Every structure is written in C-alpha cells, then in structure tokens.
Amino acid sequence: MTTIDTTEAVRRLRCALFVDFDNVYIGLRRLDPAAAEAFAESPGNWLTALEMGSDADGEFQRRFLVRACYLNPSVFSQFRPNFTRAGFSVVDCPSLTQQGKSSADINLVLDAVDALAADTRYDEFVILSADADFTPLAIRCRAADRRVTIITASPAASAYRAVADTVVTADELAELVKHPEALALGEPIALVAPVAVELPEVEEPAPATAGRRRSASRQSGPAQTTRVSTTPPTTTPARRAVLRLVSTADRPLTGGVVAQAAQKADPSVLTSGWHGAGSFFPWLAQVVPELGAASRPAPGFVWDPQRFSEADLPTAGGVNLPPLQRQVVDVTDIPNLPAERYRVLLTALADDASANPFDRAETARRVRDACQAAGQAIGRASVNNVISGVLYSGLDLTTKPSAKKLAETWADNVVGLCRGGRMDLNPQDVAAIRAWVGGGLLEG
C-alpha cells in the first residue's frame, strides 16, 4: 500500500539582501556594542537565522540570491573579509564629501533597482538600514508586487516603516545577531512557560495582571473556577498563527486582529464555537495561555508578556493628549505618556543609573518596576523607547547622568524625530514638546 505524504512543503522565497553596513553598525554601537561586534564579525551566523521566516500564509524559507554589503573602507575595512567569507558581494563606498558621507545610499539603490528589473524575479527585498532615504526604493519594490522587509538598527521614520511588509526593530536585530541560534526572523519569540491559571466561568475572562502573565484578575463575588493544565497546548495552525503574529508585533494588538489571524489559519474555530470555548478570549486562554490578554476595555488586547504588559496598552491610564502631542506620538512612535509620567520615568532612570551598573535589559526592568511602584502605568516598552532614544543621541548612561540631563537628551531626540518626520514646527511647538517629553524638568 502506497503512503501519500500530505506534508505541506515550506515555501521558498527568492530574496535580494542589501546591507547598509555603516548605518547598521553605528546604530548598534549606540544601542548595544556587543550586538554591533556580533553583526560585523559573524555575518554568516545571523544570515542563517534570517533564512527562516513566516507571514500570514505560514512559514517560508529565504534563499538569498543577492547578498550585497556597502561599507566605507576607510573606516570599516577590517570587517570586509568577514562579509566576503559569508558570501556577500562587498561594495566599497568611500566618502565623497567633506562632511564624510559615503556613497553607500546611491550604490545600494542602483543595485536594488537593477535587481528589480532583472530576469530573475526576486520575491522579497530585504534592506538593512534605518535610513529613511530608502523609502522611495521600498515604495518602488511594493509597486512591483515584491515583499519588503526592513531591518533597522536605530529609530526609523514612520513613513519608511509603513511601506514595509515586515519591520525588524533595533532591539530585535540586537537579539538576533547575538543569539542567532535561538531566533529566526518571523518565528515566535520564546515566551514564558505556561502557568496554572484560574479562570472565572463567565463570558469573557478578566484581564491578565502584569504580575502574573496569564492569571485572571479576581472579580467581586463568588465564582466557579476551572483549572487549566500546565501542559503546553497541542500545536495547531491557529495557535501557530497567533504566536507568529503576536510575538513579532511591535505593540499589543487588538483582539479582533488576533482573532482574524486564528480564523484564517483554521476556519473551523468559528463553526465550532471557538472549539467549545464560546468566544475568542476564552479560547485564547486555553490554546495560547502564555500570551498576555485583556478582554476589557473594548476591543480587548493581546500581547507578548516578554516585551509588554497592561501598562503598554493604548488605553492604559486613559491618556488623552493635546493635538500637537498626539501628532508627535503618531509620527515618531514615542510613548503616549503625559508630562507627569515622563517626569517619573526620567527620574527613575536617573536614580537607577546612579545606583546600579547600566545593563540595557536589567535597567529597563528595574526602571519599569520603580515607575509602577510609584503608581504610574508605565510599561517596559515605554522605558526601552526612552533608553534607546538617549543612547542613540550619544548619552552614556554609565556616566550617571542627572534627570535633567536625561530630559534634555530625550527632548532633543524627540524634536529630531519630529523634524525627520517632516513635521513643521515653530519655536512655540518646540518649546511645548520639550516641556512635555522633558516631564517639566527643563523648565526654568
């Protein structure tokens, strides 16, 4: 009897990879020097990690037919052999101006446009650079019906990120290059192990608390409880789709978006009443218990608890900023916090830098805990955003800067992001932004 193999073959994408070395290396140096060295010294390792990915249609494998790296030989020539050994075509881009700007941008764009018009049809263009000058190139690739993946090592303009199918942030890139054996682009990030959960038998579970990743909040009055097994759930297409979406999202997602991903991967969840759970959030608690979720307030949210908490939800604290501040948040993606919370965050960061050795991950955790102990709904993602901003601006947190110095650096960074986003700011706007994001520490 002949056995039929019904295993679905993994899709293979023909990809063209373009690396703006100077931009990536300098960005990583400011954020995480160890990551910068790993990126420059072992490109073959992180290139292998990039080969596996996934999207709404499932998993795929990249075949990098074009591997091009553009660097300034007068500054970074020592890293050239590393990329040559990894199969890259290295294009020397010496400085052509008195300001020291190299020709990497124009060389990269010309090669990418040639690849777009080549006889070989490349399914995906992967650009390693945070330089918003590549926005027209990304638009051109999308117009030709090609996937665009942008990998950044520093803050990137919202318009640049908006034209990409996938954006890998600087923090994700730093983890990828340092631990390529554990991460692959698009694969679910390792989440916390499932815990025993008590869920009230009601239509929707109570929001998860920040302290217990999936523990339901106690509700007033008696309630029947159901014990959920600590055994990891059986892998299903819907579970994989949800993990893939949530673990690669750059913020908590609305429940509707996540539910749609589950339905697309497994249409039977609707016809079966979410496999007997009745609705989406109870199903999520049973099938993907390691994710954070809050069904209220509407529309409900789902997040990766390794990176976010309830304090990172857009509804946290009911913040309603004035029009200028709302526009700044939309354009720059800085935390949606009022001035008083920025003051608490910046003060807590200054206190921690003064009392403890700086370590990006541990510092962010301690500052987040200090902010929440002070009664402020400030999530770790917000803390990381501020830390990254001051590091990119050149402030050394090992020098124990004061809260005012942190506020000055952070405010300068935000104003720079606004100008990079083509916001037309008058002096009064700049003053209002600095007073807001500086938490009032810059007044007087």
Side-chain angles (χ1 to χ4, degrees):
M1 178 176 175
T2 303
T3 301
I4 299 176
D5 185 3
T6 59
T7 303
E8 183 180 355
V10 176
R11 288 177 296 143
R12 293 173 64 87
L13 299 186
R14 293 181 291 271
C15 300
L17 171 66
F18 303 93
V19 180
D20 183 356
F21 181 90
D22 299 25
N23 181 278
V24 176
Y25 183 77
I26 293 172
L28 284 178
R29 281 287 300 175
R30 292 173 177 171
L31 179 68
D32 188 332
E37 297 311 310
F39 164 76
E41 294 176 358
S42 304
N45 291 342
W46 54 260
L47 185 64
T48 299
L50 289 177
E51 289 178 351
M52 293 305 298
S54 61
D55 57 18
D57 295 321
E59 298 178 355
F60 59 78
Q61 183 175 8
R62 292 181 173 90
R63 185 181 179 206
F64 291 108
L65 303 183
V66 172
R67 305 176 183 182
C69 175
Y70 306 82
L71 59 77
N72 187 339
S74 63
V75 182
F76 301 116
S77 60
Q78 70 270 32
F79 299 122
R80 195 180 196 281
N82 302 337
F83 282 80
T84 301
R85 287 197 303 270
F88 280 82
S89 172
V90 180
V91 180
D92 289 335
C93 302
S95 174
L96 301 177
T97 68
Q98 292 182 343
Q99 290 74 30
K101 183 174 178 58
S102 75
S103 58
D105 293 7
I106 187 63
N107 279 294
L108 191 157
V109 169
L110 288 173
D111 288 348
V113 171
D114 284 346
L116 196 60
D119 292 337
T120 300
R121 189 186 193 282
Y122 299 100
D123 303 305
E124 181 183 40
F125 284 71
V126 181
I127 304 171
L128 266 75
S129 179
D131 193 339
D133 288 349
F134 294 124
T135 303
L137 172 62
I139 292 174
R140 182 81 172 269
C141 293
R142 283 182 65 88
D145 192 24
R146 315 298 174 90
R147 273 183 60 95
V148 178
T149 291
I150 292 171
I151 304 177
T152 71
S154 56
S158 56
Y160 181 41
R161 289 182 281 107
V163 297
D165 295 281
T166 302
V167 177
V168 179
T169 66
D171 285 331
E172 291 166 342
L173 175 61
E175 289 303 308
L176 177 70
V177 299
K178 288 194 300 184
H179 309 291
E181 72 288 347
L183 295 173
L185 181 60
E187 287 296 292
I189 298 170
L191 298 170
V192 295
V195 297
V197 182
E198 291 185 356
L199 294 176
E201 291 185 340
V202 293
E203 177 65 18
E204 300 284 355
T209 63
R212 293 178 63 194
R213 299 268 163 79
R214 288 294 306 153
S215 297
S217 300
R218 296 291 183 181
Q219 297 184 357
S220 59
Q224 295 288 328
T225 60
T226 301
R227 198 70 175 173
V228 178
S229 172
T230 58
T231 304
T234 303
T235 298
T236 65
R239 171 180 161 83
R240 287 198 300 271
V242 167
L243 279 174
R244 195 159 51 225
L245 176 65
V246 176
S247 64
T248 57
D250 61 358
R251 66 193 67 192
L253 299 173
T254 61
V257 170
V258 182
Q260 287 177 5
Q263 293 166 18
K264 182 176 181 179
D266 181 7
S268 71
V269 295
L270 281 183
T271 58
S272 64
W274 291 94
H275 294 166
S279 58
F280 169 66
F281 278 100
W283 172 87
L284 186 73
Q286 295 174 12
V287 178
V288 202
E290 60 266 50
L291 293 180
S295 61
R296 288 184 290 269
F301 293 90
V302 184
W303 63 89
D304 173 1
Q306 290 288 77
R307 298 177 295 144
F308 306 110
S309 69
E310 286 183 326
D312 295 304
L313 303 184
T315 56
V319 179
N320 186 18
L321 297 174
L324 173 63
Q325 283 84 338
R326 285 203 305 271
Q327 184 184 15
V328 172
V329 170
D330 291 340
V331 170
T332 67
D333 285 335
I334 66 169
N336 181 18
L337 302 176
E340 57 268 23
R341 288 187 196 166
Y342 270 121
R343 186 184 189 97
V344 170
L345 195 165
L346 293 165
T347 302
L349 179 56
D351 291 344
D352 189 87
S354 177
N356 302 289
F358 174 69
D359 176 270
R360 193 163 55 92
E362 288 302 309
T363 298
R365 179 188 58 77
R366 289 192 301 264
V367 172
R368 185 273 314 272
D369 291 346
C371 291
Q372 296 190 2
Q376 298 295 333
I378 300 174
R380 190 164 177 176
S382 296
V383 177
N384 273 324
N385 193 304
V386 173
I387 290 177
S388 296
V390 297
L391 289 176
Y392 288 133
S393 296
L395 183 62
D396 185 356
L397 291 179
T398 64
T399 61
K400 307 182 188 304
S402 66
K404 183 175 181 179
K405 180 62 176 177
L406 282 167
E408 290 174 347
T409 306
W410 171 243
D412 289 343
N413 174 71
V414 173
V415 172
L417 292 175
C418 292
R419 298 196 187 284
R422 303 299 186 267
M423 285 185 65
D424 187 12
L425 303 176
N426 59 41
Q428 292 75 25
D429 292 336
V430 172
I433 292 171
R434 291 178 61 83
W436 162 46
V437 300
L441 295 168
L442 303 180
E443 297 176 352

